[in-house]
Amino acid sequence: MSINDASTSRRPYSLSHPHTKRNTGAHLTYNGWLPNYHGAWAMITIPPLLGIAFTHARLVHIAFLGTWWIGYFCFFALLMYIKSRCAKRYIPALLTYGMLTALCGIAVLILAPYALLWVIPFLPLVAIAVIEAYCRRERSVLSGFATVLAASLTLPVAAGFGIAAPGTGQWQDILHIPWSIWLCTVFVFLYFAGTVFYVKTNIRERGNSKYLVASLAWHGIALACAGIAAFMFGGWWIAHALLWLVLTFRAWIVPYRAQHGKPLTIMALGMGEVFASIVLAIVWFACI
């Protein structure tokens, strides 16, 4: 599920004043401290943890996870600040998270200077999301795919840190990341990008045949790729392909039922995504 589509609020920056009867979470979201894109938690958590699990845990991973996770909070505050046309209430959260992200990022560069190379793919992805937010298109497919791709790339980033020997990592270690990890990264992207379509066909674009066709086409392509991997490698990749068969069926049956008066609640959709993400993460770990 993309960061933007996972929100349960259509306009988070236009929440009423926090002194009305709202809970603490809404108050924190109102001021940019707490992201309300609940479905994004799996997307920002599973890829980097898989990258660590596939290799070896290093000290740099602590700094990297801090950079990535605090950076997500900073990213949310930045989007709210941009969307609200620079509302001052977001500045404290933006500055606080920005400084903490910078400190963690500096720690990463001290421990692994070659990590600076990852700025090359990440910078344009962040730029796309920021530009889309400025244009009030933060829930566009382009923005969703950009954030999903950025999250997916944290898998090889974390794996690269684990492959490098402590204190001796060089930029060439990026080239030594096993192909199996890159393959898993592709499927991580295919899954979370698929949730961009899946969520849209059940909420904002319910009943939109174009989005439903796009969703089914995307899941069909992913299913075909999973089938090829199962044929070539066997083992747990077969179970992986079967999961994609279930996900493809889900991409059709859930929107179909929603169009006929039996929609799932946002909570049910979110819990389903969490469950599917955990099951896939376990299977991906078994595959590698």
Side-chain angles (χ1 to χ4, degrees), residues 9-224:
S9 172
R10 295 184 67 87
R11 293 178 179 270
Y13 61 89
S14 62
L15 290 171
S16 60
H17 197 277
H19 293 309
T20 58
K21 293 181 179 179
R22 290 182 175 272
N23 59 32
T24 302
H27 177 83
L28 292 174
T29 297
Y30 177 83
N31 292 297
W33 290 100
L34 181 65
N36 64 342
Y37 300 147
H38 309 300
W41 297 118
M43 186 180 72
I44 67 171
T45 302
I46 289 177
L49 292 185
L50 277 176
I52 296 173
F54 287 158
T55 54
H56 300 88
R58 309 289 192 198
L59 181 61
V60 67
H61 282 131
I62 298 176
F64 170 65
L65 290 176
T67 304
W68 174 242
W69 287 337
I70 299 174
Y72 165 62
F73 281 71
C74 180
F75 180 70
F76 172 78
L78 176 62
L79 290 188
M80 296 302 100
Y81 181 72
I82 293 173
K83 287 166 57 180
S84 65
R85 296 300 185 260
C86 306
K88 293 182 179 180
R89 68 175 181 271
Y90 296 116
I91 293 178
L94 181 58
L95 292 179
T96 301
Y97 289 141
M99 288 187 292
L100 291 175
T101 301
L103 288 174
C104 290
I106 291 172
V108 170
L109 293 179
I110 291 175
L111 294 169
Y114 63 95
L116 189 62
L117 288 175
W118 285 107
V119 172
I120 297 174
F122 275 93
L123 191 59
L125 296 175
V126 173
I128 290 173
V130 170
I131 292 172
E132 289 292 283
Y134 180 79
C135 297
R136 300 287 177 87
R137 297 193 301 262
E138 73 283 351
R139 291 183 175 86
S140 68
V141 173
L142 176 61
S143 178
F145 273 35
T147 53
V148 168
L149 181 55
S152 301
L153 285 176
T154 61
L155 196 163
V157 172
F161 292 146
I163 291 171
T168 63
Q170 302 295 329
W171 69 267
Q172 291 91 340
D173 289 311
I174 297 175
L175 303 177
H176 297 157
I177 296 174
W179 65 266
S180 57
I181 289 179
W182 287 111
L183 179 60
C184 185
T185 301
V186 170
F187 281 112
V188 168
F189 172 74
L190 287 173
Y191 169 68
F192 286 112
T195 64
V196 174
F197 291 116
Y198 175 66
V199 172
K200 284 184 178 296
T201 57
N202 283 287
I203 302 179
R204 298 180 181 278
E205 302 297 338
R206 183 190 302 170
N208 188 324
S209 59
K210 292 182 179 179
Y211 270 92
L212 181 58
V213 170
S215 177
L216 292 176
W218 183 269
H219 283 82
I221 292 172
L223 175 60

Side-chain angles (χ1 to χ4, degrees), residues 197-259:
F197 291 116
Y198 175 66
V199 172
K200 284 184 178 296
T201 57
N202 283 287
I203 302 179
R204 298 180 181 278
E205 302 297 338
R206 183 190 302 170
N208 188 324
S209 59
K210 292 182 179 179
Y211 270 92
L212 181 58
V213 170
S215 177
L216 292 176
W218 183 269
H219 283 82
I221 292 172
L223 175 60
C225 293
I228 293 173
F231 177 78
M232 294 179 63
F233 309 120
W236 278 97
W237 287 104
I238 297 176
H240 179 249
L242 292 176
L243 280 176
W244 272 105
L245 182 61
V246 173
L247 291 173
T248 304
F249 177 72
R250 184 191 68 166
W252 168 74
I253 191 62
V254 176
Y256 175 81
R257 287 173 58 85
Q259 292 178 34

